[in-house]
Amino acid sequence: AQSVTQLGSHVSVSEGALVLLRCNYSSSVPPYLFWYVQYPNQGLQLLLKYTSAATLVKGINGFEAEFKKSETSFHLTKPSAHMSDAAEYFCAVSVAAGNKLTFGGGTRVLVKP
Amino acid sequence: ETGVTQSPTHLIKTRGQQVTLRCSSQSGHNTVSWYQQALGQGPQFIFQYYREEENGRGNFPPRFSGLQFPNYSSELNVNALELDDSALYLCASSLVQGLNTEAFFGQGTRLTVV
């Protein structure tokens, strides 16, 4: 079975500062890893995904994540936070085609002006 | 191409009642997955349908059931509603083709059980 741990349920950053959201996974087989964003009262939007190609993955809205097998991590970063980045972010893992996703508990990002 | 649409957007039901939630998958997709997202938590996988057959189920009791139709749209049915069933129910569709697939989520149905 696979699992995902997101360290920090809430993160507060200043506009223009680095955003770093942490995700660690557990999987007995090579995983597929995803980051999703959820705005209030909305569904999930895919930010980026890792599917065993390049370990540094670039996504939408300036986000990127690096897959580190030795650390079983897939942390999400953005060099400069924007007010529109305020949302909840979910890391997810899948171990087979078909995207039966296992999600972490989420990290809510607050961006201060 | 149309996205994933869910109906209704909000629903209030009484404990013990039954509810049906609907999902229209994105055009060309053959797989639908349902997730339950309780307040303040990450989504939890309920089950998945592939070509009208159940293709995996999470840790949910049998009173959670589903259907997928020939046009790949789907229903989630929950019988004997309990207060803890109050949550956002998310539908995701994907095209299962090889190992590189992506799930597209709908806006969700907010179910409140009173």
Side-chain angles (χ1 to χ4, degrees):
Chain A
Q2 60 273 14
S3 65
V4 176
T5 301
Q6 291 184 241
L7 186 62
S9 59
H10 292 80
V11 167
S12 181
V13 299
S14 298
E15 191 174 19
L18 171 72
V19 179
L20 170 61
L21 304 183
R22 298 179 187 276
C23 171
N24 288 89
Y25 69 90
S26 170
S27 174
S28 57
V29 299
Y32 299 96
L33 294 161
F34 307 82
W35 275 99
Y36 284 88
V37 60
Q38 186 176 38
Y39 297 100
N41 300 313
Q42 293 192 24
L44 300 173
Q45 180 183 9
L46 181 68
L47 281 176
L48 49 80
K49 60 182 178 181
Y50 167 77
T51 55
S52 77
T55 56
L56 182 61
V57 182
K58 294 188 183 298
I60 63 171
N61 301 341
F63 284 94
E64 64 180 36
E66 186 172 8
F67 171 69
K68 292 187 177 180
K69 184 179 178 181
S70 61
E71 298 177 9
T72 60
S73 69
F74 190 56
H75 302 330
L76 181 72
T77 60
K78 181 174 180 177
S80 177
H82 191 272
M83 296 299 290
S84 61
D85 294 327
E88 188 148 25
Y89 294 78
F90 293 95
C91 182
V93 63
S94 174
V95 295
N99 277 307
K100 301 168 192 174
L101 297 164
T102 299
F103 285 88
T107 298
R108 186 170 299 277
V109 172
L110 171 66
V111 182
K112 299 177 293 184
Chain B
E1 102 189 336
T2 58
V4 179
T5 57
Q6 294 186 240
S7 63
T9 55
H10 295 82
L11 199 55
I12 300 175
K13 288 287 189 178
T14 302
R15 188 172 50 182
Q17 285 187 314
Q18 178 265 343
V19 68
T20 297
L21 310 182
R22 295 178 174 83
C23 172
S24 293
S25 58
Q26 186 161 314
S27 177
H29 285 183
N30 57 10
T31 302
V32 173
S33 303
W34 286 92
Y35 293 83
Q36 180 195 68
Q37 186 180 16
L39 198 61
Q41 298 183 24
Q44 289 199 313
F45 175 72
I46 302 175
F47 44 57
Q48 182 183 84
Y49 279 83
Y50 172 64
R51 294 183 175 178
E52 303 178 57
E53 298 284 334
E54 187 177 289
N55 182 39
R57 187 180 183 91
N59 188 26
F60 281 82
R63 59 189 185 84
F64 285 78
S65 63
L67 284 173
Q68 187 180 32
F69 301 99
N71 66 355
Y72 300 128
S73 65
S74 178
E75 287 182 353
L76 164 65
N77 299 289
V78 187
N79 294 321
L81 283 166
E82 301 177 359
L83 296 179
D84 283 349
D85 296 333
S86 295
L88 180 68
Y89 288 84
L90 295 165
C91 168
S93 78
S94 55
L95 174 63
V96 177
Q97 196 170 53
L99 297 178
N100 191 3
T101 63
E102 178 178 330
F104 293 84
F105 283 82
Q107 299 288 79
T109 294
R110 173 77 62 188
L111 172 65
T112 302
V113 182
V114 297

